[in-house]
Amino acid sequence: MSSLQLASSCYCSNIKSKHSSTLSLKRVNCAINVPKASTRKLIVDQGLHKFKETTAPLFEKKNNDNIIKILHDNEDDDRKYTTTTSTDSSEATNTTIRIHELYAVLEAVSDRIEMHNNMKEQRDNWNTLLLNSINMITLTASTMAGVAATTHDVSSLALKLSSALLFTAAMGMLLVMNKIQPSQLAEEQRNATRLFKQLHSQIQATIIALVNNNNNNISIEEAVKGAIEKVLALDKAYPLPLLGAMLEKFPSKFEPARWWPNPNNNNNNNNSQDNNNNGWNIELEREMREVMEVVKRNDKEEYERLGNLALKMNKGLAISGPLLTGIAALGCVAFVGGDNNGGMVGVVAGAMAAVVNAIEHGGQVGMVFEMYRNCGGFFQQLEERVEATLEENDLNKRENGELFEMNMALQLGRSVSQLRQLASTSYSSRLHAIQTDEFASKLF
């Protein structure tokens, strides 16, 4: 009987110990399996209570320490992840803002392309309409003066006065037309439209490179700053308004146009130690220097000479036209007073004025002068670009040498082999003190 009571008490104790152990393990959220063999060997209540009192706190403490450690590790990981995510998010936000800025510049460039194109058409119409109107007025006044010289009745006086007024009006209109030079204004807007289209394509390519993360050679800030500087330089070189901002149409001497910002001289004094020469070598640098020598010696000098010639011709025609028209008007006024020779002076001077106006504005001498200015600016930009590239000692910061050579050849209207042949010929001629008349550009 006593053995049955002892067995039942042991069984109950085993059940209670299993139940309490299960509750405690659920409390600490950790699965611990106590071996059944150890509980079955405990056959007395004292041994069972002693085992519980010594092992349970140890298990609970150990599990609690593990949980605390796991929680701390998770907090550290969350903190690191949050910091990394915050940094990446900041960089992504900065990149997004800069790309939006480039899109804003791109929109401004598109608007300027449209404005300059509209101005070009408008000022081209000015040149045609004003020339036709002034010549019609001049020829009409000359005809009226000639008719008045053949008649001696009362109606001749009206013809004489009308011809004098028409010559005066033509002279005033011609003075305004010669001052603004509509053909030259139209050429300025053509050049501005073409250059803004080039800038538009460059900004688009920059945005595509930034979106595709191919911007290893240039930072986003530099891209935005460079685009804005180019837009402002073009605005300054080719202004839209006439009053207060119009370019001088009759400067004292010929000067090439400048539509690009000043280059930044941020060169590194230490040579690049990278084995990759980025397509550059001593022969290519020498080739570029020789080509620039040809450009400065032949192309720039020739276009400077032609530009000065066009400027002098335009000045002479701009003075002759109003002067002849004014002489015709004075002759008609003298003709009104009874001097018959004044009528002949009016007819001859008016005819000559119409011819001069047709040569100046019909031949668009102002447009030719602006074309020479633009060509001179092209060669000046080419020279500065080559100098700035060769002065950069870090080869990795330069444009790729092979690509640079190909672009140079295309801009000069040559193939790469022809460009190399030009450099070789220039070097040989300078070595033997022989002057060559070959121009670097076959395009202009």
Side-chain angles (χ1 to χ4, degrees), residues 25-87:
L25 293 177
K26 287 183 180 181
R27 184 170 59 251
V28 299
N29 195 19
C30 181
I32 300 174
N33 295 322
V34 179
K36 296 180 178 181
S38 61
T39 56
R40 291 176 181 175
K41 293 179 181 180
L42 298 178
I43 56 175
V44 291
D45 293 339
Q46 293 180 354
L48 180 60
H49 290 302
K50 185 176 181 180
F51 173 80
K52 290 172 58 179
E53 290 176 358
T54 56
T55 57
L58 292 176
F59 285 144
E60 292 182 0
K61 181 180 180 181
K62 183 178 180 180
N63 291 325
N64 288 333
D65 292 340
N66 291 332
I67 292 172
I68 293 173
K69 182 179 179 181
I70 292 172
L71 292 175
H72 281 298
D73 291 340
N74 291 336
E75 289 178 358
D76 293 338
D77 293 339
D78 291 341
R79 192 179 296 110
K80 292 178 181 179
Y81 177 77
T82 304
T83 305
T84 305
T85 305
S86 177
T87 304

Side-chain angles (χ1 to χ4, degrees), residues 346-411:
V347 173
V348 174
M352 292 179 63
V355 173
V356 170
N357 295 337
I359 293 174
E360 180 185 7
H361 299 290
Q364 298 187 353
V365 181
M367 181 272 293
V368 174
F369 170 70
E370 180 61 29
M371 182 185 67
Y372 288 144
R373 283 185 69 246
N374 182 73
C375 291
F378 166 76
F379 291 120
Q380 183 68 29
Q381 184 192 31
L382 205 64
E383 181 183 354
E384 291 186 7
R385 180 187 175 190
V386 172
E387 290 178 353
T389 301
L390 296 181
E391 288 175 358
E392 177 59 62
N393 294 323
D394 190 353
L395 299 181
N396 290 325
K397 291 183 180 180
R398 295 184 185 180
E399 185 180 353
N400 181 267
E402 297 178 357
L403 181 60
F404 189 87
E405 183 183 23
M406 186 190 70
N407 288 333
M408 182 73 64
L410 291 175
Q411 288 181 351

Side-chain angles (χ1 to χ4, degrees), residues 133-189:
S133 299
I134 291 174
N135 277 350
M136 287 297 297
I137 292 173
T138 303
L139 294 176
T140 301
S142 299
T143 303
M144 293 172 68
V147 172
T150 59
T151 59
H152 298 282
D153 53 4
V154 180
S155 60
S156 64
L157 180 62
L159 293 175
K160 297 173 184 178
L161 290 174
S162 298
S163 63
L165 290 175
L166 287 175
F167 277 128
T168 304
M171 182 183 65
M173 294 173 63
L174 193 55
L175 286 172
V176 175
M177 187 177 183
N178 290 345
K179 176 66 177 177
I180 64 176
Q181 292 289 316
S183 63
Q184 187 172 345
L185 290 174
E187 181 65 16
E188 290 176 6
Q189 305 312 314

Side-chain angles (χ1 to χ4, degrees), residues 181-394:
Q181 292 289 316
S183 63
Q184 187 172 345
L185 290 174
E187 181 65 16
E188 290 176 6
Q189 305 312 314
R190 290 190 193 98
N191 293 330
T193 302
R194 177 177 59 84
L195 294 171
F196 270 115
K197 286 181 179 180
Q198 288 182 1
L199 181 59
H200 188 274
S201 300
Q202 292 173 4
I203 296 175
Q204 279 185 331
T206 303
I207 292 175
I208 293 173
L210 292 175
V211 172
N212 295 331
N213 295 324
N214 294 329
N215 54 329
N216 297 325
N217 296 328
I218 185 171
S219 65
I220 306 178
E221 290 76 9
E222 290 178 353
V224 176
K225 182 180 178 181
I228 294 175
E229 288 179 352
K230 289 178 181 179
V231 171
L232 297 179
L234 275 171
D235 288 340
K236 184 178 179 180
Y238 300 104
L240 284 170
L242 293 179
L243 300 177
M246 184 179 67
L247 297 177
E248 179 61 38
K249 298 300 180 285
F250 303 101
S252 58
K253 65 176 182 178
F254 174 82
E255 292 183 357
R258 185 181 183 87
W259 60 84
W260 62 95
N262 294 322
N264 296 322
N265 297 323
N266 295 326
N267 295 331
N268 187 5
N269 294 326
N270 297 323
N271 292 330
S272 176
Q273 301 298 326
D274 193 356
N275 294 326
N276 182 16
N277 293 327
N278 196 21
W280 287 93
N281 51 50
I282 297 176
E283 289 76 12
L284 181 56
E285 292 184 357
R286 183 183 301 166
E287 176 189 339
M288 292 297 105
R289 290 191 175 93
E290 289 298 332
V291 171
M292 285 301 102
E293 285 294 329
V294 177
V295 168
K296 290 187 287 185
R297 185 173 61 246
N298 294 339
D299 297 76
K300 287 184 66 176
E301 290 183 0
E302 179 66 14
Y303 277 96
E304 185 177 355
R305 183 185 68 82
L306 293 175
N308 285 317
L309 182 62
L311 178 60
K312 292 177 181 179
M313 183 179 179
N314 197 27
K315 284 182 178 180
L317 293 174
I319 295 173
S320 300
L323 181 62
L324 290 172
T325 310
I327 292 173
L330 292 176
C332 290
V333 171
F335 185 35
V336 172
D339 188 3
N340 292 330
N341 293 328
M344 298 302 296
V345 171
V347 173
V348 174
M352 292 179 63
V355 173
V356 170
N357 295 337
I359 293 174
E360 180 185 7
H361 299 290
Q364 298 187 353
V365 181
M367 181 272 293
V368 174
F369 170 70
E370 180 61 29
M371 182 185 67
Y372 288 144
R373 283 185 69 246
N374 182 73
C375 291
F378 166 76
F379 291 120
Q380 183 68 29
Q381 184 192 31
L382 205 64
E383 181 183 354
E384 291 186 7
R385 180 187 175 190
V386 172
E387 290 178 353
T389 301
L390 296 181
E391 288 175 358
E392 177 59 62
N393 294 323
D394 190 353

